[in-house]
Amino acid sequence: MSNMTVDMDGVPTDIGDPTNSDEVYLSGERQLFSDARTELISIGQLGMIDYQQRGGPKTRAYLQEIKRLAESRIIYGRWPQVPDRIED
């Protein structure tokens, strides 16, 4: 199965793929986009700038994916792979 789109107040919204999702998101108690927003808040604006300048390609890709998820309404899915080191 692929990402599901639901109609919310006349607006089609991608809620992700419940068949390919981390267990923590299947119960509905936590949502992928909400966790991504929390992650961005914990990193902070200065942290984002620092990580983007010092980070390697994996770190920059992780940050970009977190930002994309935070701006979405995706409930189901997999958390992006966290790089082992900032330089990766």
Side-chain angles (χ1 to χ4, degrees):
M1 190 172 177
S2 63
N3 284 14
M4 293 174 48
T5 302
V6 297
D7 192 22
M8 299 178 129
D9 300 323
V11 177
T13 303
D14 179 358
I15 63 166
D17 183 356
T19 62
N20 184 21
S21 185
D22 291 333
E23 287 289 323
V24 70
Y25 301 116
L26 292 178
S27 70
E29 292 179 27
R30 289 178 51 189
Q31 300 173 335
L32 191 58
F33 78 92
S34 180
D35 283 356
R37 287 179 183 172
T38 301
E39 178 78 358
L40 281 180
I41 290 169
S42 72
I43 293 171
Q45 189 67 27
L46 291 176
M48 285 289 285
I49 292 169
D50 181 46
Y51 289 160
Q52 288 173 342
Q53 289 177 349
R54 291 188 309 129
K58 290 180 183 177
T59 298
R60 289 192 298 273
Y62 172 78
L63 295 173
Q64 191 64 26
E65 182 64 6
I66 293 297
K67 188 174 179 183
R68 183 189 74 79
L69 289 170
E71 293 169 352
S72 74
R73 296 292 296 173
I74 296 177
I75 297 169
Y76 304 107
R78 299 217 172 261
W79 190 257
Q81 180 66 38
V82 179
D84 293 330
R85 301 175 314 135
I86 291 174
E87 295 80 13
D88 287 343

